[in-house]
Amino acid sequence: MIELHYWTTPNGHKITMFLEEAGLAYQIVPVNIGRGDQFKAEFLRVAPNNRIPAIVDHAPSDGGAPLSVFESGAILLYLADKIKNFIPQDLRGRTEALQWLFWQVGGLGPMAGQNHHFRQYAPETLAYAIERYVKETARLYAVLDKHLGDGRPYICGDYSIADMASYPWIVPYERQGQKLEDFPHLAAWFTRVKAPPATERAYAVARAINALPVVDEEAKKVLFGQDASSVR
């Protein structure tokens, strides 16, 4: 049984996509980040960075005590290695998958996240910041579009954690100021990843937990007002 500490964000969707596709048994522990659940002691024991998602594997492959993992990229890699699926097992294939996983974790996610923040949530309109992150998001879309332009159906040929990591960050493309028709290879890939029943089940989980996501003033104070004191 995988215990998934989760909220309805792109990083959270990565893990439900994997678990649904893999058919692993899991239990959701909702962590309402707009109301400060990420600062509760029981969550911090699993995720010291006070960010979702995090998991607790109650049946780790070494047969030992339950094992907790935080950070979405680390969770995807851990789960893929656990079931020996959704990551190539050969050296070159595995290396390619890890490159694109880290590309998402270090590039697409943070840049699209800043794009979301300055376009939608910043208390004042900062034209420079908006232009900066909209352009960088477009550049990253173009990187993936070009990579997919050689005819491969998925990022690493076969469906993998690289696709699961990237897809949720492209779902809100309109909010990022992007048009999928500008990136035809990416658009075709997007349709392929969206199609499987497992993807729909993953997003159905999100709708069941948080049907109408709202970032109100209380949530903004919690989400955007953190500093070192939030950890101490």
Side-chain angles (χ1 to χ4, degrees), residues 7-212:
W7 199 240
T8 53
T9 72
N11 286 335
H13 300 325
K14 296 177 190 177
I15 312 306
T16 51
M17 285 181 66
F18 184 101
L19 292 169
E20 289 293 339
E21 189 68 43
L24 288 172
Y26 70 99
Q27 177 183 6
I28 293 279
V29 179
V31 181
N32 188 334
I33 60 174
R35 296 297 179 260
D37 288 357
Q38 67 271 39
F39 302 112
K40 293 181 178 179
E42 58 267 31
F43 179 67
L44 292 174
R45 283 194 290 270
V46 178
N49 192 39
N50 61 268
R51 295 287 189 274
I52 63 94
I55 66 167
V56 179
D57 184 356
H58 289 273
S61 57
D62 65 1
L67 177 62
S68 62
V69 187
F70 71 100
E71 289 296 317
S72 61
I75 295 168
L76 286 175
L77 181 56
Y78 173 83
L79 291 172
D81 284 342
K82 177 182 175 69
I83 66 171
K84 294 181 172 54
N85 199 358
F86 304 116
I87 186 169
Q89 298 300 300
D90 64 288
L91 173 63
R92 296 175 188 275
R94 181 182 176 87
T95 299
E96 181 179 36
L98 290 179
Q99 289 179 128
W100 285 99
L101 175 64
F102 293 170
W103 172 85
Q104 184 283 308
V105 171
L108 179 62
M111 295 300 103
Q114 293 297 329
N115 181 326
H116 293 171
H117 179 79
F118 286 106
R119 279 174 58 87
Q120 298 174 71
Y121 304 126
E124 58 184 294
T125 300
L126 299 173
Y128 175 83
I130 292 171
E131 182 181 21
R132 159 86 175 100
Y133 289 112
V134 169
K135 283 185 174 180
E136 179 59 10
T137 302
R139 188 192 72 82
L140 290 162
Y141 275 41
V143 169
L144 184 53
D145 184 69
K146 184 177 180 180
H147 174 70
L148 292 163
D150 64 359
R152 65 181 70 206
Y154 299 104
I155 294 175
C156 298
D158 293 329
Y159 189 53
S160 74
I161 57 175
D163 303 287
M164 298 174 193
S166 297
Y167 174 83
W169 280 101
I170 294 176
V171 168
Y173 62 89
E174 291 178 325
R175 291 168 55 194
Q176 298 166 9
Q178 308 301 320
K179 297 179 181 179
L180 287 190
E181 56 263 34
D182 293 338
F183 309 96
H185 306 297
L186 184 153
W189 163 86
F190 184 85
T191 299
R192 281 190 289 273
V193 178
K194 182 179 181 180
T199 302
E200 171 53 32
R201 291 196 301 270
Y203 279 82
V205 168
R207 292 191 294 271
I209 291 174
N210 188 23
L212 295 172

